[in-house]
Amino acid sequence: MQQEESKAVRGRGRPARPPEEAREAAVQAATWLLLHEGYAATTMEAVARHAGMAKKSLYQYAANREELVALVVRGWTDGFLPAMAHDASAPGEVLPLLKEILQAMAARVLTADAVGLFRLLCTEFPARADLLAVYQRNGIERGTALLAEWLGRQAARGHVAVGNAPELAGLLLAMVIAEPLRQMALGLLAPVPAWDAGPRIDAALRLLGGSSFSAAGASALRGG
């Protein structure tokens, strides 16, 4: 009985957070520090303190500052996965599903936090090259690869013809994400949700579907 009471006393204090909750606290802390204090101030010690956890607990989720930033950016691209889990059952479903995917992507990577990180990357600071590589690998490249993989699946089902899926994915994201992101970083557009990505996505899909532009002899450009 005394042993049980002793264990209960030792176990008192701050209750342990579930792993996912603790991980999210670390990601939020790293994001806040990056945007408000800068990359140099986003140390493992500072993130642990800001997240309200022991430094050794933080190491369960990231081994260093670069991995923390990767968690932040990868968290945005992880948000695309539910929309990309659905495949078209007929050709007519491809564009509506693609619209849902692009809306999901815009909702994650055109937020104030995402725009803030992009704006940070446009400045000069020590270790910028390292942070840029993390951002490129976990954000731009991963997002493009995920969209290309989804497009490839629809092509494999015979619902759409896709010559070069990575190239098409990159062009779509340039239209729907990259240009609005540039304007937001310059302060010309408000981040999502204040800005509605829907009209721009619709315009891109009209272009993709051939209803916005066609040119005689355009077939001469195909096959590249």
Side-chain angles (χ1 to χ4, degrees), residues 40-199:
T42 310
T43 62
M44 297 295 283
E45 293 84 353
V47 171
R49 184 170 60 251
H50 199 78
M53 64 172 63
K55 185 178 174 182
K56 64 179 181 180
S57 298
L58 180 60
Y59 280 113
Q60 297 178 32
Y61 309 105
N64 50 48
R65 179 167 49 183
E66 288 71 28
E67 288 190 10
L68 275 174
V69 176
L71 280 180
V72 172
V73 179
R74 197 173 182 88
W76 298 333
T77 52
D78 281 346
F80 311 157
L81 298 177
M84 292 180 175
H86 304 289
D87 293 315
S89 58
E93 294 182 1
V94 173
L95 289 182
L97 285 175
L98 182 54
K99 179 177 180 177
E100 291 182 12
I101 290 170
L102 293 173
Q103 286 176 323
M105 298 180 87
R108 300 290 293 194
V109 301
L110 294 179
T111 62
D113 283 352
V115 172
L117 181 56
F118 178 79
R119 189 181 289 121
L120 174 64
L121 287 167
C122 293
T123 65
E124 290 295 333
F125 58 91
R128 175 179 178 271
D130 294 335
L131 180 57
L132 185 59
V134 170
Y135 180 88
Q136 178 77 11
R137 184 169 59 254
N138 292 276
I140 297 171
E141 291 179 2
R142 186 176 185 231
T144 303
L146 288 171
L147 181 56
E149 195 272 337
W150 184 87
L151 289 167
R153 293 204 317 263
Q154 311 322 302
R157 288 167 169 260
H159 297 326
V160 64
V162 178
N164 186 322
E167 182 179 66
L168 177 58
L171 290 171
L172 276 171
L173 294 180
M175 288 189 286
V176 173
I177 303 296
E179 177 55 21
L181 179 59
R182 184 189 71 85
Q183 293 188 46
M184 290 171 187
L186 291 172
L188 302 175
L189 281 181
V192 169
W195 181 73
D196 180 11

